[in-house]
Amino acid sequence: YFNYLVISKNDSFAVEKRTGKDIWEQLFQFPLLESKQKLYDPYLIQKKAEETFGLKDDIMMEGDYKKHVLSHQDVY
């Protein structure tokens, strides 16, 4: 599961540059938390966001998971 965090403040958005050696190398994306399962618990998302990105603000969960079928895997 790719859990993107859309973080905004004062009409600006947080983005990060991808560093991995893959097809999207050097492109920008919203901060990403990858997981093996759906993240439903706001506390867990807040904890991961704080550990991974140092974010301490409250996180509001919005949206739903969408399934994308690739040739070799399903991505949510």
Side-chain angles (χ1 to χ4, degrees), residues 16-29 32 34:
E16 63 183 5
K17 193 172 188 178
R18 293 184 63 97
T19 57
K21 299 287 184 191
D22 60 24
I23 192 168
W24 299 294
E25 181 181 7
Q26 301 299 312
L27 296 179
F28 289 88
Q29 65 184 10
L32 171 64
E34 290 189 43

Side-chain angles (χ1 to χ4, degrees), residues 4 6-7 13-14 27 36 39 45 47 52 56 62 65:
Y4 287 98
V6 180
I7 302 162
F13 290 90
L27 296 179
K36 299 265 184 206
L39 296 180
I45 293 172
K47 183 178 175 190
T52 307
K56 296 183 187 275
E62 291 186 17
Y65 288 92

